[in-house]
Amino acid sequence: MAAPLASKPGPPGAPSKPAGPELDFRSGARTEELNRLIQEFAKHDQREYDDQRALEIHTAKDFIFSMLGMVQKLDQKLPVANEYLLLSGGVREGVVDLDLDELNVYARGTDYDMDFTLLVPALKLHDRNQPVTLDMRHSALCHSWLSLRLFDEGTISKWKDCCTIVDHINGATNYFFSPTKVADWFYDSISIVLSEIQKKPQRGMPKVEKVEKNGTIISIILGVGSSRMLYDIVPVVSFKGWPAVAQSWLMENHFWDGKITEEEVISGFYLVPACSYKGKKDNEWRLSFARSEVQLKKCISSSLMQAYQACKAIIIKLLSRPKAISPYHLRSMMLWACDRLPANYLAQEDSAAHFLLGLIDDLQHCLVNKMCPNYFIPQCNMLEHLSEETVMLHARKLSSVRSDPAEHLRTAIEHVKAANRLTLELQRRGSTSSIPSPQSDGGDPNQPDDRLAKKLQQLVTENPGKSISVFINPDDVTRPHFRIDDKFF
């Protein structure tokens, strides 16, 4: 094939020819077209909340919190005044660093319309005077055993059946809080409570369509009016402060410096029920910084978030088997990119295409090198356990995406449009059975009124993508106190 002739330069002073469309060197895709497709995906992927949907969201949330209040009363294990972290998006969306291998596959549109993750503290260690023993001697980085040895006798007695017991030579007994036993207890307790609730159905009460234990996660799908809500409920251990193993991270410069305070970032962390590749499932917990990630998300530009969501939609199914890359890995790479790149570059509204291609490149680089550092504990490599065969398989799949990103974006758009069509069709079918107005005849006086729906809609509109923490007393579940990041309602 003959090489194209080079164009002759014009005479000095002659006007230059207008530049052609900006192209991606690797794929030949037009940057303008990629930006348009990312915008179209974002338009179809975003959830819209009318008054009815807002009321359904509130009703489902109220039902879940009331259920947890009843779980607490069963055996008094859960803290009486608990603090939950409610995250938009299910565990499968990568909102928390949990293993997805044991999760059943749920699809938006087919199985649910909206999804949430709820972190429920089984133990709440918020008293700085409370002695805590994180035993990392037997664990990989970013993981720990939790000893109850220094806790009071009441706590040990309450949770003894959810511990593994180790007897020492000197005669002392050590109780290690077991994530698998806690998850088993939690699922059994939720099942008992839901069975009791369903014996006395009330008007407007959500229909429990599915309750499943997926590893250490309890997934509940509720039918509320014309909507189906997926709640992934995760038993956790909640801490105030910051773990010593992540102290060095605070000494580095980060993209959020000057945008939010360090106190906001290090307000607390969790142990979530997940173990390392070679860890003991019965004893090992994983450190999670979900509360900090909620704060950091406020500092990420909308164009980068759109690129991240589009990239996640492309890879979530493509790389699902064999399990190697989760959306949480992609989220970590995005945070590292925010540290690496200038803020004014990441703030450019017309650069979503560059961000998408960069995330794919970063992901492929991490795979080929089997290296994806945890953002908060960089010495923890989240991909070190992968086999060469798995790495190369996924790297080849990503190479096909990188060679034609526009086509993969179009496929992602068609998937989300199909999910939306399914949702709308089910809403049309269920419109006659939607939640009755509290003012209608026969309405339950305990049902939330329209003011609650308007309040929730206002909070969702004014705080897109933010976390909702809820303080609730099981003795009075009708008066939850909302906290949107640091605002109280």
Side-chain angles (χ1 to χ4, degrees):
M1 178 177 177
L5 295 173
S7 58
K8 295 181 180 179
S16 60
K17 293 182 179 180
E22 185 179 356
L23 301 178
D24 168 41
F25 185 90
R26 172 71 181 86
S27 66
R30 295 177 56 164
T31 304
E32 181 183 7
E33 173 69 0
L34 294 178
N35 278 328
R36 186 191 67 77
L37 290 170
I38 292 169
Q39 291 288 336
E40 184 179 353
F41 175 82
K43 180 185 74 174
H44 293 294
D45 190 50
Q46 67 184 6
R47 279 49 160 190
E48 301 212 355
Y49 302 93
D50 56 15
D51 287 343
Q52 180 68 20
R53 176 60 65 85
L55 182 57
E56 290 166 354
I57 292 171
H58 179 87
T59 301
K61 174 194 67 65
D62 235 23
F63 179 86
I64 293 292
F65 292 156
S66 297
M67 176 196 76
L68 291 172
M70 295 175 69
V71 168
Q72 194 281 331
K73 289 181 178 180
L74 275 181
D75 52 17
Q76 308 295 313
K77 274 185 164 66
L78 293 180
V80 174
N82 214 349
E83 180 181 350
Y84 310 139
L85 183 65
L86 179 60
L87 302 167
S88 179
V91 166
R92 295 157 189 79
E93 295 292 318
V95 297
V96 182
D97 183 15
L98 286 166
D99 300 322
L100 307 184
D101 301 35
E102 297 179 319
L103 299 188
N104 290 335
V105 176
Y106 298 152
R108 182 182 161 204
T110 304
D111 300 298
Y112 65 89
D113 307 310
M114 304 191 67
D115 53 335
F116 303 92
T117 298
L118 186 65
L119 304 188
V120 178
L123 283 178
K124 190 175 67 169
L125 305 175
H126 291 186
D127 182 355
R128 294 186 184 275
N129 297 319
Q130 169 71 58
V132 176
T133 306
L134 288 180
D135 191 340
M136 300 183 178
R137 295 172 300 170
H138 312 288
S139 303
L141 278 167
C142 213
H143 297 82
S144 178
W145 294 20
L146 177 63
S147 170
L148 302 188
R149 183 170 53 88
L150 299 181
F151 282 65
D152 60 85
E153 285 297 325
T155 301
I156 294 175
S157 175
K158 188 187 298 183
W159 286 107
K160 188 182 295 185
D161 58 339
C162 291
C163 291
T164 58
I165 301 172
V166 177
D167 293 320
H168 294 284
I169 298 174
N170 61 8
T173 300
N174 205 346
Y175 296 91
F176 288 101
F177 206 44
S178 170
T180 53
K181 291 188 176 185
V182 169
D184 288 342
W185 161 82
F186 200 35
Y187 174 71
D188 290 342
S189 298
I190 285 175
S191 299
I192 291 170
V193 165
L194 289 178
S195 177
E196 289 299 314
I197 290 175
Q198 289 169 326
K199 288 177 183 176
K200 301 175 183 178
Q202 297 180 8
R203 180 177 171 82
M205 188 177 78
K207 178 186 177 184
V208 180
E209 296 190 354
K210 187 175 291 187
V211 184
E212 288 187 335
K213 183 173 177 288
N214 292 291
T216 54
I217 299 159
I218 292 86
S219 298
I220 300 177
I221 296 179
L222 299 177
V224 193
S226 58
S227 300
R228 295 159 301 161
M229 313 281 179
L230 167 63
Y231 270 82
D232 286 325
I233 305 178
V234 187
V236 300
V237 181
S238 175
F239 295 84
K240 288 293 185 187
W242 199 247
V245 69
Q247 283 294 332
S248 61
W249 178 79
L250 296 176
M251 309 304 293
E252 305 293 333
N253 294 323
H254 296 289
F255 72 97
W256 48 267
D257 293 337
K259 298 176 182 176
I260 53 177
T261 66
E262 186 174 289
E263 288 71 25
E264 290 176 288
V265 175
I266 65 171
S267 60
F269 68 100
Y270 296 99
L271 293 181
V272 296
C275 74
S276 59
Y277 178 62
K278 293 183 179 179
K280 291 189 65 175
K281 285 188 175 183
D282 286 344
N283 287 343
E284 196 169 83
W285 298 78
R286 179 173 298 160
L287 275 73
S288 169
F289 302 91
R291 189 182 294 280
S292 303
E293 288 166 3
V294 168
Q295 300 295 331
L296 300 185
K297 193 176 176 183
K298 296 189 291 187
C299 305
I300 299 175
S301 69
S302 58
S303 51
L304 179 55
M305 281 304 301
Q306 287 181 353
Y308 163 74
Q309 295 292 351
C311 188
K312 182 173 69 171
I314 291 171
I315 71 160
I316 201 166
K317 287 188 174 66
L318 185 72
L319 305 185
S320 61
R321 292 289 184 272
K323 194 69 70 176
I325 293 293
S326 79
Y328 188 82
H329 293 122
L330 185 65
R331 176 185 285 222
S332 300
M333 293 170 203
M334 176 178 65
L335 293 174
W336 282 118
C338 289
D339 273 357
R340 183 177 72 240
L341 296 165
N344 57 356
Y345 169 70
L346 292 174
Q348 295 176 10
E349 294 185 0
D350 59 349
S351 292
H354 296 296
F355 302 156
L356 171 69
L357 298 174
L359 287 170
I360 296 172
D361 288 340
D362 274 4
L363 191 53
Q364 193 162 23
H365 176 83
C366 288
L367 268 172
V368 170
N369 291 280
K370 287 205 299 185
M371 174 61 71
C372 180
N374 182 284
Y375 181 68
F376 299 93
I377 306 177
Q379 59 270 35
C380 172
N381 176 14
M382 298 188 289
L383 298 182
E384 66 179 353
H385 63 280
L386 295 184
S387 69
E388 294 294 335
E389 183 183 5
T390 298
V391 162
M392 293 313 298
L393 173 64
H394 286 316
R396 284 193 291 270
K397 289 180 180 179
L398 276 177
S399 180
S400 71
V401 174
R402 190 62 182 83
S403 64
D404 195 356
E407 182 58 31
H408 285 83
L409 277 171
R410 293 187 190 99
T411 300
I413 290 167
E414 289 307 310
H415 284 162
V416 75
K417 286 167 71 174
N420 290 340
R421 284 194 297 271
L422 278 171
T423 295
L424 288 172
E425 177 61 29
L426 286 168
Q427 285 177 342
R428 278 195 291 269
R429 290 183 198 168
S431 60
T432 57
S433 60
S434 58
I435 296 175
S437 165
Q439 280 74 39
S440 65
D441 292 337
D444 186 338
N446 293 322
Q447 279 289 319
D449 59 29
D450 288 336
R451 288 173 300 173
L452 291 174
K454 291 175 182 176
K455 182 66 174 177
L456 187 64
Q457 185 181 24
Q458 178 187 351
L459 295 181
V460 170
T461 303
E462 293 177 354
N463 301 275
K466 293 189 179 178
S467 152
I468 304 174
S469 292
V470 181
F471 297 83
I472 191 163
N473 186 329
D475 292 322
D476 184 10
V477 296
T478 63
R479 301 182 63 188
H481 299 280
F482 295 89
R483 186 178 79 180
I484 311 282
D485 289 340
D486 295 320
K487 299 182 200 170
F488 286 82
F489 298 90

